[in-house]
Structures are given as structure tokens and as C-alpha cells.
Amino acid sequence: DISEVNSEIIIPDGVYIIKQDNVLGQHNKEYVGSISFKGYGYNNSIIKLQPNGNEMFFYKNTIDMYKFNTFKDIQFTSTDNQLANCFHITSTGYEQGFKFTNCFFKNFKTFYSLHGIVGNSEHKFYNCKITHIYDKVIHLNNPQAVNIELFGTDIESIFGDVFYIDANGGGSIKMYGGSLITHNNTNDTKMHYILNNNGSSGTGTGNDDFMFSGVKTELRSKYSGLVKSELNSGSLWCNFIGCN
């Protein structure tokens, strides 16, 4: 029962076809916390979203639901990379603290999208793999989407922007190790970027601070760029340290 605090949900070996939108958010309780979702390895415990003609998500909240939940050893994938999305997280101050360890994410339109007005923070990824994302990997549209951290995580075969900051977004993203590899899809001549700060208001140095340390970076298309920034106000801080 994912509406109970301190639950542990085990996903056994197998491929599980999901035909229902927002399957991880099918409850009406606020501030459900400390739920652990555990698989038996991302090659063994696979949950696959099947949109059936409509845009769908594994998780899309309308109220603050989850706080400090963990996901480990699970593969999230889909049958349709134009309609399937992974996580769409809206926070008014409590939706925070998601942690992913040894998870694999493949074949989505958008992987991780942070919205709301405050406190969409403390999302962390450890030794994860993210591949074949066709629009945005991490989309920040919350002015306090801070302390988003990736450790030893590989982001590859990306056909859109990797980190996209929207008009209402501000964030602090840190990436340690791992890789960032971008491509362009067939017949796509639009520029895409590792970091695309698209008109963010720039709410302060703590909220517009991006650092990449020891990250392998490859731009495999003439339509791929490293950083684009168009600020209405404020400042953007972006550092690449020991990257190749």
C-alpha cells in the first residue's frame, strides 16, 4: 500500500506493463514519506509504461505527496518515447528528497520534470543510467529546485536538452563523474544543449549554480552545444572542473 508511511514495496523479477497514468501517485494523502521501492536489479525488475495514445507518466502529482522516498535496482522504460514520461514532480514546499540508486531509465519524452513554487529539492541519483530521452532529461520549472545531485550517473543517447531551466525555474545541479553524451535525432536541425537556461529569472547564486566535476562530455552532432543562457535578470554560475 503506497499510501502508508515507511512502506517497502518489492518489485520481483519480471516485466510489468503499466497501462494506467500516474500509477505511483494513485492516492490522495499528502506528505507520504520514507517509502522504499526495491527491485532485483535493473535488468531483472522492469516496469514499462504503455501510453495507448495519450500522454502518460509514472508519477505526476497534483498535491504534495512524497517526501524522502527511495528507488533502487529498477528499470523504468516505455513503449512510446513521444507520449511516455517518467516523473513530473510539483512542490509547494514538501515534495522533495527522492533518491535513486542503480536504476535504469530508457525511452521517454521527458525523464525528470520539477515544477511548483518552492522546495523542490534534494533529488539524488547514484550510479544510474539514463538513455534515449527525446525532449528534456531534467526540466527545472520551480524557482527552488536546488541540490539536484548526480553521482557516477551516465546520461547517453540524448536527442534534446539535458538540463533545461524554464522561465519559472531556478536550480542548483551538481554532477560528479559519469558521462554526458548528446546526439541529434534524424532530420533534427534544432540546437540542443547540455545546459539550456531559457529565460530563467535568476533568483540568486544559490539557485542558479551548476557544477560538473570529472564528467566525460561528448557532443556528437554539429547541432549540439555545451551551454546556452538567456537571463532576464540575475546571474548564472556554471563550472566544468576536470572534465574532458
Side-chain angles (χ1 to χ4, degrees):
D1 184 352
I2 64 173
S3 65
E4 296 298 325
V5 176
N6 299 321
S7 295
E8 182 177 86
I9 297 174
I10 302 298
I11 302 175
D13 290 2
V15 179
Y16 301 91
I17 304 298
I18 306 298
K19 298 182 180 180
Q20 184 178 25
D21 188 28
N22 192 27
V23 68
L24 295 178
Q26 292 295 323
H27 59 85
N28 294 313
K29 294 185 178 182
E30 291 187 290
Y31 320 140
V32 175
S34 301
I35 299 175
S36 174
F37 297 84
K38 292 183 179 180
Y40 285 84
Y42 65 66
N43 287 322
N44 301 314
S45 299
I46 302 169
I47 53 177
K48 181 178 291 187
L49 192 62
Q50 183 174 304
N52 294 324
N54 296 308
E55 189 166 25
M56 291 174 59
F57 299 79
F58 275 115
Y59 180 75
K60 186 176 183 180
N61 64 319
T62 56
I63 60 174
D64 286 306
M65 290 184 179
Y66 282 166
K67 192 174 183 180
F68 305 119
N69 295 283
T70 63
F71 302 81
K72 185 175 182 181
D73 296 323
I74 304 167
Q75 181 177 152
F76 296 82
T77 186
S78 85
T79 61
D80 190 329
N81 54 50
Q82 301 302 308
L83 293 174
N85 303 273
C86 212
F87 285 81
H88 184 289
I89 303 169
T90 299
S91 176
T92 61
Y94 297 93
E95 193 86 359
Q96 63 188 83
F98 287 35
K99 183 171 74 173
F100 299 85
T101 303
N102 300 331
C103 288
F104 185 20
F105 308 93
K106 181 179 181 180
N107 208 43
F108 294 102
K109 179 182 177 182
T110 298
F111 163 53
Y112 213 75
S113 192
L114 301 179
H115 297 259
I117 55 174
V118 291
N120 212 329
S121 60
E122 309 300 332
H123 299 269
K124 301 183 187 300
F125 302 85
Y126 299 90
N127 301 317
C128 292
K129 184 175 178 63
I130 305 164
T131 186
H132 289 84
I133 309 298
Y134 283 78
D135 188 7
K136 301 173 181 70
V137 181
I138 295 182
H139 177 197
L140 305 185
N141 200 30
N142 182 310
Q144 291 188 351
V146 295
N147 297 328
I148 315 302
E149 296 181 313
L150 303 96
F151 302 87
T153 290
D154 294 319
I155 303 177
E156 300 182 4
S157 298
I158 305 305
F159 299 99
D161 294 311
V162 180
F163 304 106
Y164 183 89
I165 297 84
D166 219 325
N168 296 315
S172 172
I173 293 177
K174 306 291 191 300
M175 185 170 182
Y176 305 93
S179 60
L180 293 168
I181 300 176
T182 65
H183 305 259
N184 269 59
N185 208 355
T186 304
N187 300 321
D188 181 6
T189 58
K190 179 182 177 181
M191 285 296 296
H192 301 291
Y193 298 90
I194 296 292
L195 173 61
N196 188 350
N197 194 30
N198 192 32
S200 170
S201 60
T203 53
T205 57
N207 273 18
D208 285 293
D209 183 13
F210 303 89
M211 185 184 76
F212 304 90
S213 179
V215 179
K216 174 185 176 183
T217 304
E218 296 183 9
L219 308 178
R220 294 183 177 177
S221 165
K222 65 180 181 180
Y223 300 108
S224 295
L226 199 62
V227 177
K228 175 188 175 185
S229 181
E230 295 183 2
L231 285 171
N232 297 324
S233 63
S235 302
L236 172 75
W237 299 82
C238 183
N239 297 280
F240 290 83
I241 302 169
C243 298
N244 64 336

